[in-house]
Amino acid sequence: IIALTGDYFTVESHYEPDVLARAFAPLAEFKGVAVAIHGNHDSEGERLHRATVKMLSARALDIRVLEHDSFVVKTRSGVNVQILGKSYTFGPGQKKPAVIDFARSVPRVPGALRLFLNHGPMEFQWVDDGLCDLMLSGHLHGGHIGLHTPWCTASIFAVCT
């Protein structure tokens, strides 16, 4: 399972329409095993949102885009994994109920591991025990371990050097 957790568009990518197609081209080798959710930057306008969905779900990539949805996949090793994907929630005070309500609204599949894809990394604190086995998030602009750059000095790399 390849999990893509949002913010595919940033200020830098808005000016080059095919930048995402080039960035995700290597995923074509893994057709059908990737799943994606949207981040806040992917949803900041209807045009960007539609472009992201169209690009990710294109036949060449076959990435399943989840927007408050779930499905079950069987891994190569035979393990069933229930994947929940929640679109980014805007608005102060709206995130906590949206995360909790969505996780509770999807019945757990007996015997399956439960993977929750949710864009905001701080929102894991609101997910009650038993609502998921693992939560993966995005919203980190450069990844969990980023390169030290003039505009981003708060990365693991920057802290260690």
Side-chain angles (χ1 to χ4, degrees):
I1 299 169
I2 298 171
L4 305 170
T5 55
D7 281 350
Y8 314 112
F9 281 105
T10 64
V11 174
E12 295 83 12
S13 66
H14 285 202
Y15 302 105
E16 200 169 340
D18 67 335
V19 70
L20 288 181
R22 289 194 325 264
F24 288 123
L27 293 177
E29 181 181 340
F30 304 99
K31 193 172 182 176
V33 300
V35 61
I37 58 170
H38 287 102
N40 53 306
H41 290 284
D42 309 310
S43 304
E44 287 176 337
E46 187 60 30
R47 181 182 61 81
L48 287 179
H49 185 78
R50 284 194 316 267
T52 306
V53 171
K54 182 178 180 182
M55 188 279 306
L56 291 172
S57 59
R59 271 193 191 161
L61 295 177
D62 193 24
I63 296 171
R64 187 165 185 169
V65 180
L66 297 178
E67 300 183 76
H68 292 82
D69 197 6
S70 70
F71 71 102
V72 177
V73 63
K74 185 174 279 220
T75 65
R76 291 180 190 172
S77 60
V79 176
N80 285 328
V81 180
Q82 180 183 23
I83 303 175
L84 287 71
K86 189 186 87 47
S87 296
Y88 184 77
T89 302
F90 287 92
Q94 301 300 313
K95 290 179 171 76
K96 183 176 181 177
V99 168
I100 294 170
D101 292 347
F102 173 65
R104 289 181 179 162
S105 73
V106 179
R108 189 171 187 120
V109 174
L113 295 175
R114 190 160 153 123
L115 172 62
F116 190 175
L117 303 181
N118 182 72
H119 184 64
M122 295 303 294
E123 296 166 19
F124 79 93
Q125 64 188 321
W126 302 320
V127 178
D128 300 334
D129 287 345
L131 289 180
C132 72
D133 298 309
L134 175 66
M135 179 183 274
L136 298 178
S137 300
H139 200 54
L140 299 167
H141 296 259
H144 294 270
I145 300 173
L147 297 177
H148 180 72
T149 62
W151 59 90
C152 180
T153 58
S155 68
I156 299 289
F157 182 79
V159 170
C160 295
T161 55

